[in-house]
Each structure stands twice: as C-alpha cells, then as structure tokens.
Amino acid sequence: MKIKSFADFKINKKILHAVVDMGFEAPSPIQSMTIPLLLSGKDVIGQAQTGTGKTAAFGIPIVEKITSRELQALIITPTRELAIQIAEEIKNIGKYKRINVLPIYGGQPIERQIRGIKRGIQVIVGTPGRILDHLQRKTLNLNKINIVVLDEADEMLDMGFIEDIENILSYAPQTRQTILFSATMPPELLALAKKYMNNPEYISVIKEQITVPTIEQYYFESKEKNKVEDLCQVIDMAQPEKALIFCRTKKRVDSLVENLRIRGYIADGLHGGLTQRQREKVMQNFRKGNIELLVATDVAARGLDIDQLSHVINFDIPQDPESYVHRIGRTGRAGRSGVAYTFITPEEYKHLRAIEKVIKQRVNRKNIPTVMETLENKKSYLYKRLLKLLEQEDNNKQVLDLLNELSGHYSYQKIALAALRLCFGDDNQESSNNGLSSDSNKKSDMVRLFLNIGKVNKIGPGDIARSIAEGASIPENAIGSIDIFDRFSFVEVPANLSEKVFQLMQGINLKGKILNIEPAKNRK
Ligand code: ADP
Ligand code: MG
C-alpha cells in the first residue's frame, strides 16, 4: 500500500493526534518508506538528505513501541544540540502517551542526569561519550533496551565516535532492533551496519540530485582581506531575518562575530569551544530572534533545526560537497524557500566546481553589492532595529550614564545624530555630507565627483587630493570636501576645472585600481 497519510500507519491515535498538533500534514518520503518497516521490527538503514524528517521517521515507531515505564529506546547522536532537539521532538510525538524522554550529553553535570535517569525514563537521547560514561559508571542500564538508533551516523563517523558506538552497542541486548540514519553512506558505515545490524533493509531517498531545489544558490568572489566588508555588504543588501553563517574554524567564528558586532550587527557564535550553558543560551537567543546572525562551525550547526532560517551564508566554502549540502539544507526546510550564499576566494573556484559537479547544479555568480545599493537597505535595516529598541524600556546603566554625561554639553538632537552616524559606520568622516544627507551645504561653484575607489583600496583623503592636484594640475587647496566610503569616494572640485579632472584622470591607475570618475548623482 502506498502511504499517503499518517493515518495509514498502524499507530496509536494518540500519536496521530500529536503529529497533527506538530503541524505535520503528510509523511515525508523517508518517513513513508521506513516507518512501516520499523513498526514491523526490522533493522533499517535510512539515507536521506538533511531536513527530510528522519527524526520522526524513527521517533514515531519508538513512541508506538513503548509499552512500559522502563528504559526501552536509546538514540545516539553526535552533538548536544541534536540530543536536545531530538528529545524535544520525541517528547512532542509522545505527548499524549506521556512518554518520558531524557537528553544526556557532556557538559551537563552528570549527577543531574543520574537523578533524571532514575526517574523512570523510557527514551534516552545522548552523545556517545556521555552515554559510555554512564554505562561505565553503571548509572545507565541497557538490559531492557529494544531499540537503538544511530542518528546522523556519518557525522559520528567523522567525529571519531565509531569506537564509542561499538562499545555502547556491546551493552545492549543482541535481540534489539538497530536503526541507522544518515545523510551520506560512506563504506565505513556500511561495514559498521554489517557488523552490528541484523539483516538490515536499506532505504535511500537520495536522488541523483542531492540539493533541495527550492534553495537559491549563489556565490560571491571575494579576496580574503575583503571578506568581512563584503559579507557586510551582502548582509545589508539581503537583510536576512535570521541567517546562519558558516566558518571553517572556531577561531574564525570568534573573529567574525567580533567583526560583525563592531559593525553593529546582532551576531553570536556557536562552536565546540563553548560551554554547554553558553551554547544553549546562544541557541535560545537565536530561536527567539534576539540574534540575527548566528556564526557557526559545521560541527556545532550539524542537524540544528531552526525555524525561518532565511539565509545560509558560507563565509568559508565548505571542505567537501557533502557538507555543502548539509549546510545549505539548513535553509529552505520543509518546503520553505531559502537562499544560500557562498563566498569564494579566487583560488577556490576549483573547489566550487567540484561541489557543483556533485550537486549537479550550477551555483550562479552574484557581484558584491555596491555601497550605493546597500545604503538604502542599511538605512531601513537600522530603522527597523532602532524602532525595536525605542519600544523597549532602557535600563542599560552604561548607556544612560553616557547620555547624562553628553547631555550636559550637547543637545539631544546632536547626540542622536552622532549616535546614528556611529551606527552607520560613518564616524570617521570629517563631514556628514555623504550620500545620505542632503546636498544643501554644497558650494554652488563646486561639482561633486564620484570616484570608484575607497577605503578598501587603502586610499585616504590626502591621497585623493594629491592625485587630483597632480594628475589634473590644479592647486590642492582648490579641492573641496572629500568623503571616502569603503568602495567609493566623493570629491568636490571647482566646476570650471571638473572637465580637466575628467580628461586627465579618467582611467588612470590609482593604487592598483582603474579609476572611474562620474558626476555624483544628486540624491535626495
Ligand atoms: P533530518 O533529521 O532529516 O535532518 P528533521 O527530523 O530534523 O530532519 O526534520 C526537519 C524539520 O521538518 C523538523 O522541524 C521536523 O519537525 C519537520 N518535519 C518532519 N517531518 C515532517 C512532516 N512529515 N511534515 C512537516 N514537517 C516535518
Ligand atoms: Mg536528523
């Protein structure tokens, strides 16, 4: 029979009811194919890409098969976050059956877990190290275990947990049902399955194309030294509600978080170097929307299910195609559409091509948005965030002290303007006469020119003034105000000399950049 609805499974009404409450309308393909086999007691190897509902695929049969108050099911999973997430999902599935589920993982005081286990837990979800720890202390007994699940098995393999897993399995009864779920199926996993599973059925819903087609994928080319600035441009342009940004290492996570915060973004990091408490707090804040940008390593983000992730950004291109698929699978989950951006340095083209080959899709190029393109967006982004703050009661003592201090010397309007400029990253310009303010203070005998070079070209006002004075042979003191932005600058020159500047300066090489000069557009 072809399974089209959860009601087609031979499961308890209480579970059906709970699944409806969870908002599931129909089983996903991996669920349709594995749940009947699992209910019949068979060992199953299930392969499906990330975000396809593998948790419920084993969670529903586990809850269905629970018959007593004893510990009957053990789920082994690579990370603490996953353990918590899976425990939550099983709790939800079992809510009308009142199933007791406990996540156990390193970093949490073991005594608390021991007390938890003693309370009559029916399902344990844990990380390999901590499970083994309990087994060796004899604070966990697997004698009555009927079901063991190895979830995200490929990841556990990569993390070097195989020995621990084999060790754990030796504590569980031979008669158990063993279930293995994974997004990829390297040979080592198949070998493990052969050794520890009983005539398993292999179910794969991986198609020749392994990415979710609803994810739009683009890449940006950016030199390593420009990456942070370029990322900010992209963020300002895309205005993600919630974005997950991947970095190669813990260190890069920390440094990117800091760089983003300096620039006024609400960002936090997630990686293996944090304590469990810190990680939980970060995740909670991200879920609640208190953090807009979550910067993470692959391991820390593995399997996290975060609602409404609008963007996944690979600040660093992933090491291999599989992890690319895993990463971008974080967005566009359960049919929602999402966008994935990947930054590559010029040397990483080959890497990107290799990924495209595996996913059998083209990842299209996008150009880093210009400051002009993002300025408007940045304004509305800032506006949105200011509104949010304005709605809140302000009780930050440092800020209040600063305000009191400043208001003794300046008007509130002046203070507000300065603070806004700071938010805009516009604090190191001499004049506020940039693309945002009106041009009312422009002298009428001067014209404003747009130059395609800026801070990223390591150019300062002195350089510009000097080059123009020399290049167009006009006196340096005839040059008016100069505003330098990251990627472009404005310079005022006397109207009667502007033609000369154009003719003599257009197309010259300045600091390694071919100069383009245009009359500045009058922006309102
Ligand atoms: P995987 O383990 O395959 O990466 P998850 O089990 O974490 O995926 O599921 C991803 C998301 O999809 C979760 O939020 C889960 O609650 C949801 N989900 C699972 N099954 C269904 C379903 N049949 N219909 C709708 N949403 C589902
Ligand atoms: Mg999973």
Side-chain angles (χ1 to χ4, degrees), residues 6 19 22-31 48-58 60 82 85-86 89 92 151-152 181-183 303-307 326 329-330 333-336:
F6 282 103
V19 167
M22 289 165 78
F24 295 7
E25 285 163 319
S28 68
I30 190 75
Q31 291 165 356
Q49 71 201 39
T50 182
T52 50
K54 296 193 283 298
T55 314
F58 60 78
I60 291 171
L82 266 179
Q85 208 165 284
I86 294 167
E89 182 128 325
N92 285 335
D151 187 38
E152 312 273 356
F181 276 100
S182 193
L304 290 182
D305 176 45
I306 303 147
D307 273 351
H326 278 301
R330 308 282 117 227
R333 310 201 96 189
R336 283 190 294 269

Side-chain angles (χ1 to χ4, degrees), residues 97-112:
K97 262 189 97 171
R98 297 182 179 280
I99 300 297
N100 286 323
V101 189
L102 183 73
I104 60 173
Y105 43 81
Q108 201 189 39
I110 199 154
E111 291 74 25
R112 196 189 317 164

Side-chain angles (χ1 to χ4, degrees), residues 62 66-75 83 87 90-91 97-104 108 111-126 134 139-147:
I62 284 177
I66 284 178
T67 50
S68 74
R69 305 314 293 176
E70 284 167 320
L71 178 62
Q72 291 146 84
L74 176 72
I75 297 148
I90 293 184
K91 235 177 251 172
K97 262 189 97 171
R98 297 182 179 280
I99 300 297
N100 286 323
V101 189
L102 183 73
I104 60 173
Q108 201 189 39
E111 291 74 25
R112 196 189 317 164
Q113 291 172 357
I114 294 171
R115 281 200 300 277
I117 297 169
K118 284 195 183 135
R119 268 201 324 263
I121 293 298
Q122 294 152 297
V123 181
I124 280 186
V125 190
H134 279 287
T139 48
L140 182 62
N141 182 331
L142 302 186
N143 289 347
K144 295 286 165 59
I145 289 280
N146 299 321
I147 301 177

Side-chain angles (χ1 to χ4, degrees), residues 159-172:
M159 291 168 77
F161 283 144
I162 286 303
E163 221 170 284
D164 285 355
I165 289 168
E166 296 191 64
N167 209 338
I168 294 168
L169 289 173
S170 71
Y171 285 84

Side-chain angles (χ1 to χ4, degrees), residues 449-500:
L449 303 178
F450 168 92
L451 313 185
N452 64 332
I453 50 170
K455 284 185 208 156
V456 298
N457 308 102
K458 299 258 178 326
I459 198 153
D463 297 315
I464 291 187
R466 216 167 311 117
S467 324
I468 292 179
E470 280 169 22
S473 46
I474 58 176
E476 212 174 304
N477 62 9
I479 296 167
S481 77
I482 298 174
D483 295 329
I484 303 188
F485 294 80
D486 286 337
R487 248 156 247 294
F488 63 80
S489 315
F490 289 112
V491 56
E492 285 182 344
V493 297
N496 57 342
L497 296 175
S498 68
E499 196 49 38
K500 204 166 157 194

